[in-house]
Amino acid sequence: MEKQLIISVGREYGSGGHEIAQRLSEHYGIQLLDHNLLDEIAAAKNMDMQHLKGLDEKHRSRLTSRTVRGYSSSLEENLYLIQFDHLRKKASSGESFVIVGRCSETILKAYDSLVSIFVLGDMDKKIDRIMKLYGLSKEQAVRRIREKDMKRRRYHNGHCDRRWGDSRNYDIAINSSKLGIDGTVAMLADYIDRRRTPQ
């Protein structure tokens, strides 16, 4: 049986982290989980989770949520607990996959098969990428990058001990602006292969 491989990809908005994760999933022939994670959970539990998609990777509000005897009134909190539990079950079953975000570098760190990556980028390159992808002005792109990264930081830091983007939290942190998407994927694949080969 093929050795299990779990790749966790954290990313700054505009760094190309999602594309890099997709390319790694294709390179290794393993499933990519990101926005489709809720669809998989819904299928496994025979539930309709469409109404929860807007809450994905969002931080719960401490003002409007309460936890009583271990049960939370926060939909956001219940959603991330369902996702975390699902990811742990997949990892425990021996499945290989690439997972984008969802605090996966922390919740799956007990698995030896985990390779955790954080993709960052130079601000000017991230702005150019978002402007081209979404047809935005420079000011709009800057605002979107800041808003998205703030949300990701709040979500991550609300559920993990170590800070989002802190290099000590990942096996490797890489600036995709230096090598481009192709070069970054090639370097990461080489790193992963070296990790998987006994020395």
Side-chain angles (χ1 to χ4, degrees):
M1 187 173 79
E2 185 70 24
K3 186 177 178 183
Q4 185 182 34
L5 173 62
I6 302 170
I7 303 172
S8 162
V9 181
R11 73 286 184 220
E12 289 181 346
Y13 190 74
S15 66
H18 185 275
E19 183 178 350
I20 289 165
Q22 184 172 6
R23 297 270 293 275
L24 288 171
S25 79
E26 292 166 359
H27 177 79
Y28 290 103
I30 58 179
Q31 182 184 20
L32 173 67
L33 291 170
D34 188 5
H35 304 298
N36 60 336
L37 178 59
L38 285 182
D39 294 329
E40 180 171 293
I41 293 170
K45 294 183 175 291
N46 197 24
M47 294 169 57
D48 179 8
M49 302 187 82
Q50 286 296 321
H51 64 293
L52 295 179
K53 287 197 172 185
L55 303 174
D56 194 18
E57 281 200 294
K58 292 219 175 139
H59 182 64
R60 76 179 175 100
S61 169
R62 296 187 186 279
L63 296 174
T64 59
S65 64
R66 297 179 58 208
T67 301
V68 179
R69 296 183 181 152
Y71 295 96
S72 175
S73 65
S74 166
L75 289 175
E76 294 91 344
E77 185 170 11
N78 290 322
L79 181 61
Y80 76 70
L81 290 173
I82 289 170
Q83 291 186 70
F84 292 177
D85 183 58
H86 185 76
L87 289 172
R88 289 190 190 102
K89 284 179 180 173
K90 281 181 77 71
S92 295
S93 75
E95 285 186 58
S96 293
F97 55 92
V98 179
I99 173 67
V100 179
R102 278 96 184 155
C103 302
S104 50
E105 83 295 327
T106 299
I107 65 164
L108 299 176
K109 66 183 176 183
Y111 296 90
D112 293 336
S113 54
L114 176 70
V115 178
S116 58
I117 298 162
F118 189 83
V119 183
L120 58 144
D122 295 339
M123 190 61 168
D124 60 331
K125 296 289 196 311
K126 293 191 295 183
I127 291 168
D128 286 345
R129 180 179 177 84
I130 297 305
M131 286 172 66
K132 288 173 186 169
L133 276 175
Y134 300 105
L136 301 178
S137 68
K138 182 176 180 179
E139 293 73 22
Q140 289 171 322
V142 169
R143 187 161 54 249
R144 181 179 286 199
I145 289 167
R146 288 178 176 160
E147 287 173 355
K148 293 282 189 178
D149 280 350
M150 181 185 71
K151 286 178 182 176
R152 289 176 181 174
R153 185 178 296 109
R154 287 185 68 212
Y155 173 85
H156 184 279
N157 294 352
H159 308 311
C160 303
D161 293 333
R162 285 194 169 164
R163 296 297 181 193
W164 179 78
D166 182 340
S167 61
R168 292 168 295 184
N169 203 30
Y170 310 89
D171 296 322
I172 185 168
I174 188 165
N175 186 332
S176 62
S177 301
K178 305 307 180 189
L179 297 176
I181 300 297
D182 291 343
T184 300
V185 170
M187 184 174 173
L188 289 172
D190 180 64
Y191 173 80
I192 292 166
D193 291 343
R194 288 171 183 268
R195 280 276 304 273
R196 299 183 83 200
T197 304
Q199 302 298 317

